[in-house]
Amino acid sequence: MKTDAKSTIETGKAILGIEFGSTRIKAVLIDQENKPIAQGSHTWENQLVDGLWTYSVEAIWHGLQDCYTDLRSNVKELYDTEIESLAAIGVSAMMHGYMAFNKKEEILVPFRTWRNTNTGRAAAALSDLFVYNIPLRWSISHLYQAILDNEEHVKEIDFLTTLAGFIHWQITGKKVLGIGDASGMLPIDPTTKNYSAEMVDKFNCLIEPKGYDWKLSDILPKVLLAGENAGFLTTEGAARLDVSGHLKAGIPVCPPEGDAGTGMVATNAVKQRTGNVSAGTSSFSMIVLEKDLSKPYEMIDMVTTPDGSLVAMVHCNNCTSDLNAWINLFKEYQELLGIPVDMNLIYEKLYNHALKGDADCGGLISYNYISGEPITGLADGRPLFVRSANDKFSLANFMRAHLHASVGVLKIGNDILFKEEKVKVDRITGHGGLFKTKGVGQRILAAAIDSPISVMETAGEGGAWGIALLGSYLVNNEKKQSLADFLEEKVFAGEAGVEIAPTAEEVAGFNTYIENYKAGLPIETAAVTYKK
């Protein structure tokens, strides 16, 4: 097996995927069978500069180069060889945000990430103008907020893109973006598979009095579908990526994508009537729709798959952080007793014990709001555990309440899709830290959204693998298959993972819990108001 991988690398047939996450940059090298054969990573953190979350351009390049150097070391260690060429490269990154450049290709203001929430006025005004939900983190919200704030740099904008679009542009010279990432800049018309012409016109009319010498379509990247030509690695790009100078130019690069799109690919959830749920520090669900929703909803973002199908996205800021904090208390207690600590065992015992609790958690409620939660209308967060004297306060119910809380807000958003819009789904796949303890997070999520949930062994490979697969789709799709068929046949080959369906009692219990949860939201609001 090692010999095969070595030969794949030496003959330039391996494919590289790189994803910029919010805390880690990861590189994955895959073979012709789409299996990972080497990897590298780099840890980084965002900075709060002048009240806005950012990563510096220097940190972006240092992170990319360090991640690639780590990949080279892994290849050297495993196969005693060097990466000279590749069959394809793909770059993905956290979606949305704001990177604006002038004609000299200089960044005009520090990169504004998806995390910033200073765009409330702009997002509300654009949602009204477009009759479409425009989230705070979308690029168009950032742009219009800069206009509302009369920021000097706006008149100099020559190009506006996302983090993935920026890196792709710098290594290929092409100002393009995969449709999934582009759908987080400005809404996409599902018919034309391009930015909505109607919304572009409305925006241009809105800002006309400002007299800028650019129109919106002049400054946005060109939209590309998965599998379309997005350019080749330039000599400068190769030097930027591989500071050792071994990597050669001329490698095809697939359209750059956002992390939501690569998550869909990595979980085989790009076909209509499929979906995936990512549950870790934050959580989001992506359901691929057969048709548009009947109306816009503030808590549902409309994006697309990398091949242009409409996706309803429910994005929650909080998921497992508060749950992990409580579990650390049990770790401290074990240390106090002098018992050796095995965190995997603590999680396994407490998570499985939660399943012995009452289906409605015995009346206990947890609000896991480390930060604000737009879906429930909270601009700021205060973690809270709430019970009355008559509730059934046991360890099993306590743990179950916190597990329910980790997907509670996700349920509120998805109830709109399944109960009000009657959206039909054949398969939902879960991935992320919540599902690490086998069967537990999966069962809780299944009860929350009243749907069977699958978890695949490969789901842990993540977005870097997902963008590598899109690189493979670019160069290895001899049959000219759709992306969904290519993934089904060439990557997953019928692997559906382990599926868990909820019982009627679990669904009813979660419904009771969420009604208690919604009724208690004023307690959380009061905590935010009075505990500064």
Side-chain angles (χ1 to χ4, degrees):
M1 195 58 203
K2 273 199 169 186
T3 320
D4 292 349
K6 182 175 180 174
S7 147
T8 298
I9 294 164
E10 289 179 340
T11 54
K13 289 176 182 167
I15 291 167
L16 171 64
I18 299 170
E19 179 153 286
F20 285 70
S22 50
T23 57
R24 194 163 70 124
I25 304 169
K26 187 177 176 187
V28 168
L29 208 59
I30 63 171
D31 61 16
Q32 292 132 295
E33 305 295 312
N34 299 305
K35 303 278 191 295
I37 52 174
Q39 61 180 5
S41 69
H42 169 84
T43 301
W44 70 339
E45 281 294 337
N46 53 193
Q47 271 79 44
L48 193 60
V49 178
D50 296 329
L52 294 171
W53 292 104
T54 187
Y55 301 86
S56 69
V57 170
E58 294 73 27
I60 292 167
W61 290 119
H62 170 68
L64 178 65
Q65 290 160 0
D66 188 57
C67 179
Y68 187 83
T69 301
D70 193 42
L71 173 73
R72 279 185 56 236
S73 301
N74 190 233
V75 165
K76 197 88 176 154
E77 185 188 325
L78 291 173
Y79 311 110
D80 192 28
T81 193
E82 185 62 66
I83 307 167
E84 302 282 350
S85 189
L86 295 158
I89 297 173
V91 176
S92 69
M94 53 192 114
M95 288 176 72
H96 324 298
Y98 183 81
M99 296 190 85
F101 299 86
N102 63 17
K103 283 187 166 62
K104 295 179 186 172
E105 300 190 2
E106 299 162 333
I107 195 160
L108 291 166
V109 288
F111 166 37
R112 295 172 181 177
T113 78
W114 62 273
R115 234 184 129 177
N116 291 298
T117 55
N118 63 308
T119 54
R121 270 198 309 148
L126 292 175
S127 296
D128 287 345
L129 179 71
F130 296 156
V131 197
Y132 201 95
N133 180 39
I134 304 296
L136 301 180
R137 60 187 185 278
W138 281 18
S139 307
I140 195 71
S141 297
H142 285 278
L143 174 61
Y144 190 48
Q145 190 64 49
I147 292 169
L148 289 175
D149 293 340
N150 293 308
E151 292 193 40
E152 273 295 305
H153 79 271
V154 176
K155 63 178 183 293
E156 294 182 59
I157 297 175
D158 184 64
F159 182 46
L160 177 64
T161 191
T162 63
L163 179 55
F166 165 65
I167 296 154
H168 183 95
W169 168 42
Q170 293 295 298
I171 67 173
T172 66
K174 300 291 183 187
K175 294 178 175 179
V176 299
L177 204 55
I179 192 168
D181 205 6
S183 69
M185 292 195 81
L186 184 76
I188 294 289
D189 181 334
T191 310
T192 63
K193 310 280 193 218
N194 203 342
Y195 303 114
S196 162
E198 181 192 350
M199 294 183 202
V200 168
D201 288 344
K202 282 182 173 180
F203 188 83
N204 285 334
C205 289
L206 178 67
I207 65 164
E208 196 169 2
K210 293 283 185 182
Y212 301 128
D213 64 1
W214 52 261
K215 293 274 193 284
L216 189 55
S217 45
D218 301 335
I219 64 171
L220 292 176
K222 183 184 177 187
V223 178
L224 295 177
L225 299 175
E228 290 189 328
N229 182 328
F232 298 87
L233 186 68
T234 60
T235 306
E236 299 78 16
R240 274 226 143 116
L241 189 54
D242 180 10
V243 290
S244 74
H246 284 91
L247 191 65
K248 295 181 174 64
I251 299 163
V253 187
C254 71
E257 265 301 348
D259 51 359
T262 57
M264 286 187 265
V265 171
T267 52
N268 193 20
V270 298
K271 190 177 283 186
Q272 291 178 358
R273 292 174 66 113
T274 66
N276 78 83
V277 171
S278 170
T281 307
S282 62
S283 70
F284 58 84
S285 63
M286 317 280 295
I287 306 294
V288 189
L289 303 174
E290 295 176 280
K291 63 180 194 310
D292 208 344
L293 300 181
S294 65
K295 61 179 184 182
Y297 294 91
E298 197 176 337
M299 54 185 76
I300 297 171
D301 304 347
M302 300 302 293
V303 292
T304 78
T305 62
D307 58 349
S309 288
L310 265 185
V311 176
M313 178 182 193
V314 176
H315 185 281
C316 312
N317 287 353
N318 301 281
C319 185
T320 58
S321 297
D322 187 44
L323 178 58
N324 294 341
W326 281 106
I327 283 174
N328 275 324
L329 275 188
F330 291 100
K331 167 182 166 264
E332 281 188 45
Y333 176 65
Q334 264 194 239
E335 287 169 339
L336 205 59
L337 295 178
I339 301 168
V341 169
D342 176 346
M343 285 309 286
N344 287 334
L345 187 62
I346 293 177
Y347 273 98
E348 187 188 321
K349 291 288 185 191
L350 288 172
Y351 272 38
N352 278 293
H353 190 58
L355 295 182
K356 295 177 180 170
D358 296 312
D360 64 355
C361 308
L364 311 183
I365 312 170
S366 165
Y367 295 99
N368 61 337
Y369 297 1
I370 299 285
S371 65
E373 196 57 82
I375 286 179
T376 47
L378 274 298
D380 205 352
R382 298 286 180 273
L384 277 185
F385 172 65
V386 182
R387 69 185 178 102
S388 73
N390 300 323
D391 291 334
K392 296 178 190 169
F393 189 36
S394 65
L395 180 59
N397 280 339
F398 177 82
M399 285 308 305
R400 190 169 189 127
H402 282 90
L403 281 163
H404 277 211
S406 66
V407 293
V409 179
L410 201 63
K411 174 181 174 55
I412 292 169
N414 277 279
D415 277 353
I416 290 173
L417 294 176
F418 298 128
K419 292 181 178 176
E420 293 183 33
E421 289 284 337
K422 308 291 188 228
V423 167
K424 296 283 182 282
V425 181
D426 298 326
R427 184 184 74 241
I428 296 178
T429 307
H431 59 118
L434 182 67
F435 306 107
K436 200 172 170 187
T437 301
K438 280 195 173 171
V440 181
Q442 195 177 353
R443 182 166 287 288
I444 297 291
L445 179 63
I449 59 178
D450 192 7
S451 172
I453 304 293
S454 299
V455 171
M456 294 187 283
E457 290 295 322
T458 50
E461 299 293 354
W465 182 55
I467 191 68
L469 295 178
L470 287 171
S472 178
Y473 181 63
L474 175 71
V475 294
N476 292 330
N477 186 21
E478 303 85 9
K479 294 184 185 174
K480 302 288 180 229
Q481 291 174 295
S482 69
L483 178 59
D485 289 346
F486 176 84
L487 292 174
E488 198 69 52
E489 190 177 305
K490 290 279 190 75
V491 181
F492 295 95
E495 184 204 335
V498 177
E499 185 177 272
I500 289 180
T503 65
E505 184 195 1
E506 287 167 335
V507 172
F510 208 118
N511 285 338
T512 302
Y513 174 87
I514 211 69
E515 289 312 312
N516 291 339
Y517 181 100
K518 289 192 279 196
L521 278 168
I523 307 168
E524 173 68 19
T525 306
V528 169
T529 306
Y530 295 112
K531 189 180 183 302
K532 295 295 181 192

